[in-house]
Amino acid sequence: MKNLGILLSGRGSNFEAIARNVADGRIRDARIAVVISNRPNAPGLQTARDLELTSLVIPSQGRQRAEYDREVVTALQKHDVDLICLAGYTRLLSPWFVQQFPRRILNIHPSLLPAFPGLEAQEQAFAYGVKVSGCTVHFVDEELDHGPIILQKAVPVLDTDDERVLAARILEQEHIAYTEAINIVLTGNFQIAGRRLSATPRG
Protein backbone atom coordinates (compact mmCIF):
# COMPACT_ATOMS: atom_id res chain seq x y z
CA MET A 1 0.00 0.00 0.00
CA LYS A 2 1.46 3.31 -1.12
CA ASN A 3 0.93 6.52 0.83
CA LEU A 4 -0.10 9.65 -1.06
CA GLY A 5 0.43 13.17 0.24
CA ILE A 6 -1.71 15.98 -1.17
CA LEU A 7 -0.63 19.63 -1.15
CA LEU A 8 -3.36 22.17 -1.89
CA SER A 9 -4.17 25.83 -1.45
CA GLY A 10 -7.80 26.12 -2.52
CA ARG A 11 -10.80 24.00 -3.43
CA GLY A 12 -8.69 21.09 -4.59
CA SER A 13 -10.99 19.60 -7.22
CA ASN A 14 -8.14 17.39 -8.43
CA PHE A 15 -7.69 16.23 -4.83
CA GLU A 16 -11.40 15.36 -4.71
CA ALA A 17 -11.04 13.32 -7.90
CA ILE A 18 -7.97 11.53 -6.55
CA ALA A 19 -9.74 10.75 -3.27
CA ARG A 20 -12.79 9.44 -5.10
CA ASN A 21 -10.66 7.23 -7.34
CA VAL A 22 -8.66 5.89 -4.39
CA ALA A 23 -11.91 4.98 -2.64
CA ASP A 24 -13.31 3.34 -5.78
CA GLY A 25 -10.14 1.34 -6.44
CA ARG A 26 -9.28 3.13 -9.68
CA ILE A 27 -6.02 4.13 -8.01
CA ARG A 28 -4.78 0.76 -6.90
CA ASP A 29 -3.06 -0.16 -3.64
CA ALA A 30 -2.91 3.41 -2.39
CA ARG A 31 -4.26 5.56 0.41
CA ILE A 32 -4.17 9.28 1.08
CA ALA A 33 -1.96 9.55 4.15
CA VAL A 34 -2.13 13.32 4.63
CA VAL A 35 -3.57 16.48 3.08
CA ILE A 36 -1.59 19.67 3.73
CA SER A 37 -2.63 23.23 2.95
CA ASN A 38 -0.67 26.45 3.28
CA ARG A 39 -3.96 28.38 3.61
CA PRO A 40 -6.12 27.84 6.71
CA ASN A 41 -9.35 28.66 4.85
CA ALA A 42 -8.76 26.36 1.87
CA PRO A 43 -12.07 24.60 1.05
CA GLY A 44 -10.11 21.42 0.30
CA LEU A 45 -9.37 21.06 3.99
CA GLN A 46 -13.05 20.70 4.78
CA THR A 47 -13.35 18.11 2.04
CA ALA A 48 -10.50 16.18 3.66
CA ARG A 49 -12.23 16.35 7.04
CA ASP A 50 -15.52 15.22 5.51
CA LEU A 51 -13.67 12.22 4.07
CA GLU A 52 -12.07 11.57 7.49
CA LEU A 53 -8.58 12.06 6.07
CA THR A 54 -5.69 13.41 8.10
CA SER A 55 -5.35 17.10 7.27
CA LEU A 56 -2.82 19.69 8.36
CA VAL A 57 -2.62 23.46 8.05
CA ILE A 58 0.92 24.78 7.77
CA PRO A 59 0.45 28.50 7.13
CA SER A 60 2.98 30.01 4.74
CA GLN A 61 2.15 33.69 5.11
CA GLY A 62 5.03 35.63 6.63
CA ARG A 63 7.28 32.56 6.79
CA GLN A 64 10.75 32.28 5.34
CA ARG A 65 10.75 29.83 2.47
CA ALA A 66 13.44 27.53 3.86
CA GLU A 67 11.78 27.30 7.28
CA TYR A 68 8.37 26.65 5.75
CA ASP A 69 9.61 23.99 3.33
CA ARG A 70 11.39 22.12 6.11
CA GLU A 71 8.19 21.97 8.16
CA VAL A 72 6.18 20.62 5.20
CA VAL A 73 8.86 18.06 4.33
CA THR A 74 8.99 16.91 7.95
CA ALA A 75 5.21 16.42 7.96
CA LEU A 76 5.30 14.44 4.72
CA GLN A 77 8.09 12.23 6.02
CA LYS A 78 6.29 11.71 9.32
CA HIS A 79 3.35 10.27 7.36
CA ASP A 80 5.66 8.03 5.27
CA VAL A 81 4.50 9.59 2.02
CA ASP A 82 5.59 7.69 -1.09
CA LEU A 83 4.19 10.09 -3.68
CA ILE A 84 3.26 13.78 -3.42
CA CYS A 85 0.49 15.21 -5.59
CA LEU A 86 0.17 18.96 -6.01
CA ALA A 87 -3.49 19.88 -6.36
CA GLY A 88 -3.84 23.60 -6.88
CA TYR A 89 -0.88 24.32 -4.62
CA THR A 90 0.11 27.94 -5.14
CA ARG A 91 3.63 27.85 -3.72
CA LEU A 92 6.71 27.09 -5.76
CA LEU A 93 8.72 24.24 -4.29
CA SER A 94 12.33 25.07 -3.52
CA PRO A 95 15.12 23.00 -5.11
CA TRP A 96 15.88 21.61 -1.65
CA PHE A 97 12.27 20.44 -1.26
CA VAL A 98 12.30 18.71 -4.64
CA GLN A 99 15.59 16.99 -3.84
CA GLN A 100 14.05 15.33 -0.79
CA PHE A 101 11.56 13.47 -3.03
CA PRO A 102 13.26 12.79 -6.38
CA ARG A 103 10.75 11.65 -9.02
CA ARG A 104 8.14 11.44 -6.27
CA ILE A 105 6.32 14.76 -6.76
CA LEU A 106 3.61 15.15 -9.41
CA ASN A 107 1.90 18.26 -10.69
CA ILE A 108 -0.89 18.84 -13.18
CA HIS A 109 -0.92 21.88 -15.43
CA PRO A 110 -3.84 23.08 -17.59
CA SER A 111 -1.98 23.26 -20.89
CA LEU A 112 -0.03 21.02 -23.22
CA LEU A 113 3.42 21.81 -21.88
CA PRO A 114 5.82 23.25 -22.83
CA ALA A 115 3.14 25.62 -24.15
CA PHE A 116 1.78 28.20 -21.69
CA PRO A 117 3.58 27.45 -18.43
CA GLY A 118 2.86 29.45 -15.30
CA LEU A 119 -0.35 31.14 -14.24
CA GLU A 120 -3.57 31.55 -16.26
CA ALA A 121 -2.62 28.90 -18.80
CA GLN A 122 -6.15 28.56 -20.19
CA GLU A 123 -6.40 32.31 -20.67
CA GLN A 124 -3.02 32.29 -22.43
CA ALA A 125 -4.14 29.51 -24.76
CA PHE A 126 -7.43 31.19 -25.55
CA ALA A 127 -5.79 34.56 -26.20
CA TYR A 128 -3.12 32.97 -28.41
CA GLY A 129 -5.79 31.40 -30.58
CA VAL A 130 -4.65 27.78 -30.40
CA LYS A 131 -7.01 25.15 -31.79
CA VAL A 132 -5.98 22.44 -29.31
CA SER A 133 -5.23 22.83 -25.61
CA GLY A 134 -5.36 20.32 -22.77
CA CYS A 135 -3.52 19.30 -19.63
CA THR A 136 -0.21 17.78 -18.63
CA VAL A 137 0.81 15.65 -15.66
CA HIS A 138 4.53 15.86 -15.04
CA PHE A 139 7.19 15.19 -12.47
CA VAL A 140 8.21 18.28 -10.53
CA ASP A 141 11.81 19.38 -10.82
CA GLU A 142 13.65 22.55 -9.82
CA GLU A 143 12.15 24.60 -12.67
CA LEU A 144 8.58 25.85 -13.13
CA ASP A 145 6.30 23.44 -15.06
CA HIS A 146 9.36 21.72 -16.46
CA GLY A 147 9.84 18.14 -15.23
CA PRO A 148 9.46 15.03 -17.44
CA ILE A 149 5.96 14.61 -18.84
CA ILE A 150 4.05 11.52 -17.71
CA LEU A 151 0.96 12.00 -19.86
CA GLN A 152 -1.14 14.62 -21.61
CA LYS A 153 -4.79 14.96 -22.59
CA ALA A 154 -5.73 17.07 -25.60
CA VAL A 155 -8.85 19.25 -25.55
CA PRO A 156 -10.04 20.92 -28.78
CA VAL A 157 -10.70 24.65 -28.55
CA LEU A 158 -14.11 25.23 -30.10
CA ASP A 159 -15.27 28.40 -31.81
CA THR A 160 -18.08 28.58 -29.26
CA ASP A 161 -15.69 28.43 -26.28
CA ASP A 162 -14.86 31.27 -23.97
CA GLU A 163 -12.13 31.10 -21.34
CA ARG A 164 -14.49 29.79 -18.65
CA VAL A 165 -15.96 27.03 -20.83
CA LEU A 166 -12.53 25.96 -22.07
CA ALA A 167 -11.18 25.86 -18.51
CA ALA A 168 -14.09 23.67 -17.39
CA ARG A 169 -13.56 21.20 -20.22
CA ILE A 170 -9.85 21.01 -19.49
CA LEU A 171 -10.58 20.41 -15.81
CA GLU A 172 -12.71 17.38 -16.69
CA GLN A 173 -9.68 15.86 -18.42
CA GLU A 174 -7.40 16.81 -15.55
CA HIS A 175 -9.43 14.60 -13.21
CA ILE A 176 -8.95 11.65 -15.58
CA ALA A 177 -5.30 12.34 -16.36
CA TYR A 178 -4.11 12.66 -12.78
CA THR A 179 -5.44 9.23 -11.83
CA GLU A 180 -3.87 7.62 -14.89
CA ALA A 181 -0.53 9.28 -14.13
CA ILE A 182 -0.57 8.22 -10.48
CA ASN A 183 -1.15 4.63 -11.51
CA ILE A 184 1.76 4.78 -13.97
CA VAL A 185 4.12 6.13 -11.33
CA LEU A 186 3.01 3.85 -8.51
CA THR A 187 3.49 0.71 -10.61
CA GLY A 188 7.01 1.81 -11.50
CA ASN A 189 6.64 0.34 -14.98
CA PHE A 190 8.33 3.19 -16.81
CA GLN A 191 11.73 4.49 -17.66
CA ILE A 192 12.99 7.99 -18.40
CA ALA A 193 15.66 8.73 -20.97
CA GLY A 194 16.46 12.41 -21.09
CA ARG A 195 13.02 13.96 -20.86
CA ARG A 196 11.15 11.08 -22.49
CA LEU A 197 9.10 8.76 -20.30
CA SER A 198 8.13 5.42 -21.76
CA ALA A 199 6.27 2.45 -20.37
CA THR A 200 8.24 -0.72 -19.73
CA PRO A 201 6.69 -4.17 -20.07
CA ARG A 202 5.84 -6.02 -16.92
CA GLY A 203 8.42 -8.65 -16.12
Side-chain angles (χ1 to χ4, degrees):
M1 183 72 70
K2 299 293 187 180
N3 289 330
L4 305 181
I6 308 291
L7 300 184
L8 56 80
S9 300
R11 180 167 63 96
S13 71
N14 273 303
F15 153 57
E16 292 182 34
I18 291 169
R20 183 170 59 250
N21 289 331
V22 167
D24 292 346
R26 285 190 287 268
I27 296 176
R28 299 177 291 276
D29 300 321
R31 58 185 286 272
I32 296 176
V34 65
V35 177
I36 300 175
S37 177
N38 64 313
R39 294 182 176 173
N41 59 349
L45 286 170
Q46 186 58 52
T47 301
R49 297 182 191 109
D50 291 344
L51 295 173
E52 299 183 346
L53 298 172
T54 298
S55 61
L56 300 174
V57 178
I58 304 179
S60 59
Q61 188 171 7
R63 303 279 300 279
Q64 291 190 349
R65 186 177 184 183
E67 175 194 12
Y68 177 80
D69 280 2
R70 288 185 184 280
E71 186 172 349
V72 175
V73 166
T74 297
L76 292 165
Q77 292 172 338
K78 177 182 176 181
H79 289 88
D80 296 320
V81 167
D82 298 294
L83 186 67
I84 300 164
C85 300
L86 307 186
Y89 190 60
T90 57
R91 290 183 60 85
L92 294 177
L93 303 184
S94 66
W96 177 84
F97 191 125
V98 174
Q99 291 159 12
Q100 308 314 301
F101 303 96
R103 298 258 166 93
R104 293 168 56 202
I105 307 174
L106 304 186
N107 187 41
I108 190 159
H109 185 73
S111 78
L112 296 176
L113 292 173
F116 312 120
L119 297 175
E120 299 178 346
Q122 301 102 322
E123 290 87 342
Q124 293 183 62
F126 193 79
Y128 201 84
V130 298
K131 300 303 182 185
V132 178
S133 187
C135 60
T136 303
V137 187
H138 63 94
F139 286 108
V140 174
D141 65 9
E142 290 84 356
E143 298 182 47
L144 175 66
D145 296 331
H146 177 267
I149 291 169
I150 301 166
L151 62 80
Q152 296 179 305
K153 296 284 187 183
V155 176
V157 181
L158 307 178
D159 292 341
T160 54
D161 281 344
D162 59 22
E163 295 173 12
R164 181 186 59 80
V165 171
L166 176 61
R169 289 173 46 240
I170 291 174
L171 187 61
E172 290 178 359
Q173 294 303 309
E174 288 182 40
H175 294 168
I176 298 169
Y178 222 153
T179 287
E180 292 181 5
I182 290 169
N183 278 324
I184 289 170
V185 174
L186 289 183
T187 61
N189 293 316
F190 65 90
Q191 58 186 7
I192 299 175
R195 289 189 51 83
R196 294 187 62 84
L197 181 146
S198 58
T200 55
R202 293 178 181 271

